[in-house]
Amino acid sequence: MSVQFLANSSTEGFHFRDRLTNRTFCLSANGDENQGCLERFVGAMAIARYAFRSRRHSAAPPNLRERVLTIDNDSRMTPRPPFERVLAVESEVVSDIQAFGYNPDDPQQTAFSTRPLAAWRLLRQDLYLNCQPTAFLIVHWKHTLDVISLVDVIPGDGTEWIR
């Protein structure tokens, strides 16, 4: 696992490029690809990159399944329901984009633009391979509009640290 932190991000359009396929895509506020994409974003981002080395040589490509729970958040924010997504592992690598921010053109998000540094959220991200019932990794994140930080990384049973 490696993380690239992009603090104080401000961008016109929420567009990304997949380095493996050279494919470009954009994301919505809910993380939907190429649908209802954000036109403007102010906040922080982090890109977690997971590299896998399997001891088993399986013909089926692995998938990374994530389940994200809100532990706590700023009182101005409504808690998010649990979030689940499956990401395909390609060439033994998968990336997960963490983003926390607002659209300055959205009048419903003016509370963030008037006191932006006070907005925050604590998250627990459980990561699974394929249909495994237990997480191989539990990651705790703190999201603020200024920076996304990694609070804790807890390996699951059978997970080994590799330098």
Side-chain angles (χ1 to χ4, degrees):
M1 175 184 181
S2 62
V3 182
Q4 178 184 8
F5 297 97
L6 306 165
N8 297 323
S9 298
S10 180
T11 182
E12 298 295 323
F14 214 49
H15 300 273
F16 301 91
R17 178 178 305 280
D18 182 331
R19 289 185 194 169
L20 291 176
T21 63
N22 206 30
R23 177 180 65 89
T24 60
F25 62 95
C26 63
L27 295 174
S28 72
N30 295 330
D32 296 326
E33 225 177 274
N34 296 324
Q35 297 177 22
C37 297
L38 287 175
E39 293 302 318
R40 292 187 62 207
F41 174 82
V42 174
M45 288 191 295
I47 301 172
R49 183 178 178 271
Y50 300 95
F52 296 93
R53 292 186 197 166
S54 176
R55 291 187 202 157
R56 301 179 200 143
H57 297 289
S58 172
N63 288 314
L64 176 71
R65 183 169 50 94
E66 66 174 331
R67 179 171 171 80
V68 180
L69 301 169
T70 299
I71 296 171
D72 200 3
N73 56 252
D74 184 301
S75 62
R76 295 171 293 169
M77 301 171 63
T78 56
R80 286 177 48 179
F83 172 83
E84 292 194 35
R85 170 169 281 161
V86 175
L87 302 167
V89 177
E90 298 176 24
S91 302
E92 298 181 332
V93 175
V94 67
S95 295
D96 177 40
I97 299 169
Q98 301 278 326
F100 185 75
Y102 64 96
N103 178 351
D105 297 331
D106 186 344
Q108 294 179 340
Q109 297 181 352
T110 56
F112 297 122
S113 60
T114 57
R115 288 185 37 229
L117 296 180
W120 59 274
R121 179 174 275 150
L122 293 175
L123 302 170
R124 174 188 166 132
Q125 180 183 36
D126 292 10
L127 299 170
Y128 306 85
L129 277 177
N130 297 326
C131 296
Q132 290 181 341
T134 58
F136 73 88
L137 201 62
I138 299 169
V139 184
H140 292 102
W141 299 91
K142 181 174 183 181
H143 288 194
T144 69
L145 294 173
D146 192 39
V147 68
I148 291 177
S149 50
L150 193 56
V151 177
D152 198 10
V153 178
I154 304 165
D157 292 337
T159 302
E160 295 180 19
W161 294 105
I162 299 175
R163 292 184 183 214

